[in-house]
Amino acid sequence: MRLAQRERFPLKGAGAPRVDTRDGEITLKRRTFLTLAAGSVLAACSGGSRMVPPVVHWGEEGLRDGAFLHPRAIGVHEGEVYVIDKTGRIQVFTTTGELLRIWSTPRYDNGTPTAIAFHDDRVIIPDTHYSRILEYSPAGELLDEWGSYGSETDRFIYPTGLRRDTAGNYFISEYGENAERVHVFTRDHVFARQWGSHGTEDGQFNRAMALDLGPGGKIYVADTANHRVQVFTKDGSHVITYQQHGGQTLKYPHDLCVDEDAAVYVAEYGNHRITRIAPDGAFRFLGMPGRAAGAFNAPRGVAIADGKVYVADTDNHRIQVFPVEAFA
């Protein structure tokens, strides 16, 4: 076993989290956002989306502890927020943005993970561009590493999303040549079954980037480049597809999470918003393109915990947190 964790003190001063009491701008490194601002006007007029100030937000662009370079994955476990960015760092914060600890994946030069999951007090990361699964303790100790490159049933090309059910089985979304599929492994990492192929039909995928387990054992898959969310039973039978509602269409849904009422929260990096899909298929939207508090720039991660929605606002290099009531 290896200890990868490096303790850090909570951030103070310029890097400390900022709690919003009003709508406004976040201080980031200066960039040109005229195109995004113009997009905000269009979205406000025609997209059916709205901006709501986050209850808290934190982060800025950079390599120092507590800063981010394109945060890609986010998860909440036992009151702590785990964030992975393009440097391969796993940074752990309180729910109000104080940095607690930090460690890194073994390598990141080929690319970085796109998801994070939790089970039996383990932090489980599909190390996408290294075709393997990494399992850590919450303190950052590497406990297990498994998987290898290949399109065979017991191997991975690019594993993306991951969840475990109550029996400990692993459900893993994946993409790559001859590997557009959902994999199922037992708790002992033995291949059980798979479904999917490349295409646009029900049960086919085009770069499935995330999955989650919902009520009744349903499997929800972000079929990203097909611009849709597909729902399956645990044996791979197709149940329903969510793609459009009321003239609005999903655009590159990169991550999703499902609440106890079977509502799906989707991070659409193509539409710069978070979309809530009700069980009846109705869409409600939060955010629009921009850098102001409540706006997004290509969000790629979303998580829900304790009545709050946590968003990895990827190209704004920050985390934003909203009450679920923001979608009411």
Side-chain angles (χ1 to χ4, degrees):
M1 292 187 282
R2 299 202 296 272
L3 187 64
Q5 176 257 352
R6 296 180 290 137
E7 290 289 346
R8 290 291 183 269
F9 294 103
L11 296 177
K12 298 182 182 295
R18 294 173 288 273
V19 178
D20 291 319
T21 58
R22 63 186 186 281
D23 197 359
E25 297 284 331
I26 279 184
T27 301
L28 299 173
K29 289 189 175 181
R30 185 170 179 80
R31 285 185 172 186
T32 301
F33 276 86
L34 295 179
T35 301
L36 287 176
S40 297
V41 175
L42 292 175
C45 294
S46 62
S49 189
R50 64 194 184 110
M51 286 176 56
V52 173
V55 295
V56 65
H57 57 86
W58 69 88
E60 60 184 5
E61 183 179 4
L63 291 172
R64 72 183 186 86
D65 293 353
F68 304 109
L69 281 182
H70 305 285
R72 299 165 59 88
I74 189 168
V76 183
H77 179 62
E78 294 187 350
E80 296 181 340
V81 183
Y82 292 70
V83 182
I84 306 176
D85 70 0
K86 288 190 72 172
T87 68
R89 294 177 298 171
I90 298 95
Q91 299 191 80
V92 187
F93 301 85
T94 67
T95 55
T96 55
E98 292 185 31
L99 181 62
L100 299 173
R101 57 192 179 275
I102 182 173
W103 74 88
S104 297
T105 56
R107 294 182 62 187
Y108 63 89
D109 44 310
N110 285 352
T112 51
T114 58
I116 189 166
F118 309 94
H119 186 84
D120 286 346
D121 209 29
R122 287 196 173 198
V123 181
I124 309 172
I125 298 172
D127 197 5
T128 305
H129 296 275
Y130 291 91
S131 309
R132 63 188 175 186
I133 309 300
L134 304 174
E135 303 197 19
Y136 293 92
S137 74
E141 183 180 8
L142 185 58
L143 304 175
D144 204 352
E145 177 182 330
W146 56 281
S148 58
Y149 180 86
S151 59
E152 297 88 343
T153 56
D154 59 346
R155 295 171 180 256
F156 304 111
I157 300 293
Y158 297 117
T160 52
L162 184 151
R163 289 292 186 268
R164 296 184 70 182
D165 65 12
T166 55
N169 298 306
Y170 294 78
F171 292 80
I172 303 169
S173 56
E174 183 185 1
Y175 75 91
E177 187 175 359
N178 298 318
E180 299 277 358
R181 59 193 176 188
V182 172
H183 253 140
V184 184
F185 288 81
T186 69
R187 63 180 304 115
D188 299 317
H189 310 160
V190 176
F191 171 77
R193 60 190 179 278
Q194 68 176 36
W195 69 86
S197 60
H198 180 78
T200 60
E201 300 299 319
D202 291 346
Q204 294 185 311
F205 305 108
N206 187 1
R207 193 162 289 211
M209 293 301 298
L211 59 72
D212 198 8
L213 274 66
K218 299 292 193 302
I219 310 298
Y220 294 71
V221 181
D223 188 8
T224 303
N226 277 332
H227 311 289
R228 64 187 182 182
V229 171
Q230 295 195 69
V231 185
F232 301 90
T233 62
K234 282 188 175 181
D235 65 4
S237 299
H238 181 265
V239 176
I240 194 171
T241 294
Y242 299 118
Q243 188 166 28
Q244 57 186 351
H245 176 80
Q248 291 290 306
T249 302
L250 297 177
K251 187 175 182 182
Y252 295 108
H254 196 273
D255 194 16
L256 56 77
C257 57
V258 186
D259 70 14
E260 60 187 8
D261 298 319
V264 190
Y265 296 80
V266 183
E268 291 187 71
Y269 82 82
N271 279 328
H272 308 284
R273 67 189 180 191
I274 305 300
T275 298
R276 180 188 185 273
I277 306 175
D280 64 2
F283 286 11
R284 297 193 71 90
F285 309 106
L286 184 67
M288 55 187 64
R291 61 180 293 177
F296 302 111
N297 188 3
R300 292 178 183 248
V302 63
I304 186 167
D306 301 320
K308 293 185 175 61
V309 179
Y310 295 77
V311 180
D313 188 6
T314 303
D315 288 352
N316 279 330
H317 313 283
R318 65 186 178 186
I319 304 303
Q320 298 197 73
V321 186
F322 302 87
V324 293
E325 293 80 10
F327 292 88

